[in-house]
């Protein structure tokens, strides 16, 4: 959509990175822990976005989002599958095979 969250009109980036007042938003507790002063929190928040992600990482994120899958290590995915009682990783493509009974095709 955009190269940087600050370019997106509906992003909370403006609120968190520049302190722009938005009556719809409240400071998140994790945001509050970024620093003691507003200026320091804003600086630390902006620094979170000064990292370029590898193309492969971006591809993995998009693929997980588009398929409504969980992104992470196998043990994390297993934990999420148990918690939500649903598959959160890609399945095997195609229909399951029908097991054939050998007697059905046995010729005398």
């Amino acid at each position: 959509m955009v190269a940087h969250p600050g370019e997106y009109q509906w992003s909370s980036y403006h609120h968190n990175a520049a302190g722009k007042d938005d009556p719809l938003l409240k400071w998140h507790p994790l945001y509050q822990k970024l620093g003691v002063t507003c200026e320091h929190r804003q600086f630390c928040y902006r620094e979170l976005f000064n990292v370029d992600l590898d193309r492969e990482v971006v591809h993995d994120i998009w693929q997980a989002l588009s398929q409504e899958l969980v992104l992470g290590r196998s043990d994390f995915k297993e934990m999420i599958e148990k918690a939500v009682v649903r598959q959160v990783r890609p399945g095997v493509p195609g229909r399951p095979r029908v097991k054939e009974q050998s007697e059905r095709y046995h010729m005398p």
Side-chain angles (χ1 to χ4, degrees), residues 4 13 22 24 40 44-45 50 60 76 82 86 90 99:
H4 188 274
Y13 182 87
D22 188 330
L24 298 176
H40 189 244
C44 290
Y45 187 82
N50 285 338
D60 291 346
F76 175 71
K82 288 177 184 174
R86 92 181 213 0
K99 293 186 179 182

Side-chain angles (χ1 to χ4, degrees), residues 4-7 10-19 25 45-46 49:
H4 188 274
E7 299 170 8
W10 305 111
S11 172
S12 62
Y13 182 87
H14 307 285
H15 178 70
N16 295 323
L25 300 176
Y45 187 82
R46 286 190 302 266
F49 298 92

Side-chain angles (χ1 to χ4, degrees), residues 51-96:
V51 177
D52 288 331
L53 295 176
D54 182 48
R55 285 185 182 263
E56 187 175 327
V57 171
V58 173
H59 172 74
D60 291 346
I61 293 170
W62 275 110
Q63 188 173 14
L65 284 171
S66 67
Q67 296 177 20
E68 298 179 2
L69 302 174
V70 171
L71 186 61
R73 296 187 323 248
S74 292
D75 58 333
F76 175 71
K77 291 176 184 180
E78 288 172 18
M79 182 180 72
I80 297 299
E81 282 178 339
K82 288 177 184 174
V84 299
V85 192
R86 92 181 213 0
Q87 186 174 336
V88 297
R89 49 184 132 193
V92 179
R95 297 179 66 189

